Amino acid sequence: MNEARPEITEAEPLAAEPPAVPLPNRVAAELVGTAALVAVVVGSGIQATELTNDVGLQLLANSLATVFGLGILILLLGPVSGAHFNPVVTLAEWWTGRKDAKGLGVREVAAYVPAQIVGAIGGAVLANAMFGEALVKWSTHDRSAGHLLLGEVVATAGLVLLIFGLAKTDHLRFAPVAVAAYIGSAYWFTSSTSFANPAVSIGRAFTDTFAGIAPGSLPGFIGMQLIGGVVGLALVVLIFTHRGRVTAR
């Protein structure tokens, strides 16, 4: 006989942070992971533009490198920090687990988010250095058009729906492949090429290369990413609420 389960009306938290891992180690994983992710995104973009003038091939190379790099980073660092590498994911996990004593707390959020931002900036600077670019050169790539902002809402909402949907269905073990595959596809089906991450967006403002974004475009992108996060959580509740309903035979 199945035991009755209480009704749940909110998306469940990822519950990905092992409580035995000290906070400094988790913060270090978020910083290093986000830095490595941005180094992959920016570095592969620079490499692609040096190898070909075909924009389609440049985007293909950039997206493939990101898929493989992100998957490896989630697999490696997920057991340590949950491999958020993204303030939207961190805030979403805090929100969904705010009533759970074992959920992500304000203290962790206050440590994770700055680490992600610092890591993203460091990753962009590192990529610039590896390819002989100026260590810091503000991007001139304007991304303020309305259709690009809509693309960011869609990309971020889909990412949050995927991650928390995997959590609701007990399939988080597939996150390295699933999340990497989603970001790779979103490079192509969204007009914005799926930044879907405020920290990564900030880091990419520090490089005037293929993957860059002009600082003036950041407020719009970050605002739409936050909205996308809210939309994603709403979709999780709408689609997966049935998993928390009481079932009886």
Side-chain angles (χ1 to χ4, degrees):
M1 181 180 294
N2 293 334
E3 295 183 359
R5 297 178 61 189
E7 183 172 355
I8 299 175
T9 58
E10 293 185 89
E12 292 178 355
L14 291 179
E17 280 73 18
V21 179
L23 182 59
N25 298 96
R26 287 184 276 157
V27 172
E30 286 298 302
L31 189 152
V32 172
T34 311
L37 174 59
V38 174
V40 168
V41 172
V42 174
S44 63
I46 298 173
Q47 183 78 284
T49 57
E50 292 184 352
L51 294 175
T52 178
N53 292 321
D54 187 315
V55 177
L57 288 178
Q58 291 171 358
L59 186 61
L60 179 61
N62 193 213
S63 61
L64 284 176
T66 301
V67 166
F68 291 123
L70 179 58
I72 290 169
L73 289 170
I74 295 174
L75 183 65
L76 175 65
L77 299 176
V80 180
S81 69
H84 297 182
F85 314 146
N86 188 335
V88 169
V89 175
T90 297
L91 290 171
E93 183 171 351
W94 164 75
W95 176 259
T96 57
R98 67 193 184 284
K99 297 179 182 178
D100 184 352
K102 295 181 180 180
L104 200 69
V106 174
R107 177 168 170 259
E108 285 85 357
V109 173
Y112 270 37
V113 173
Q116 292 159 353
I117 294 173
V118 171
I121 295 171
V125 172
L126 176 61
N128 286 337
M130 287 193 293
F131 286 91
E133 303 284 339
L135 295 184
V136 175
K137 186 175 182 181
W138 298 115
S139 175
T140 56
H141 193 160
D142 179 75
R143 299 179 188 264
S144 59
H147 66 283
L148 301 181
L149 299 180
L150 176 59
E152 279 303 287
V153 174
V154 172
T156 312
L159 177 63
V160 170
L161 173 61
L162 171 62
I163 293 172
F164 286 83
L166 289 175
K168 291 282 286 186
T169 56
D170 300 319
H171 287 142
L172 268 178
R173 62 189 179 277
F174 299 117
V177 172
V179 173
Y182 171 78
I183 291 298
S185 65
Y187 255 84
W188 291 91
F189 77 74
T190 64
S191 57
S192 63
T193 66
S194 184
F195 284 47
N197 185 327
V200 168
S201 299
I202 292 171
R204 289 168 70 164
F206 283 73
T207 179
D208 191 22
T209 57
F210 179 80
I213 177 173
S217 299
L218 283 178
F221 257 51
I222 293 173
M224 294 304 103
Q225 290 158 358
L226 293 173
I227 291 173
V230 173
V231 172
L233 285 180
L235 290 173
V236 173
V237 173
L238 178 65
I239 295 170
F240 295 103
T241 302
H242 70 280
R243 292 188 61 83
R245 290 175 181 166
V246 175
T247 58
R249 291 184 178 179

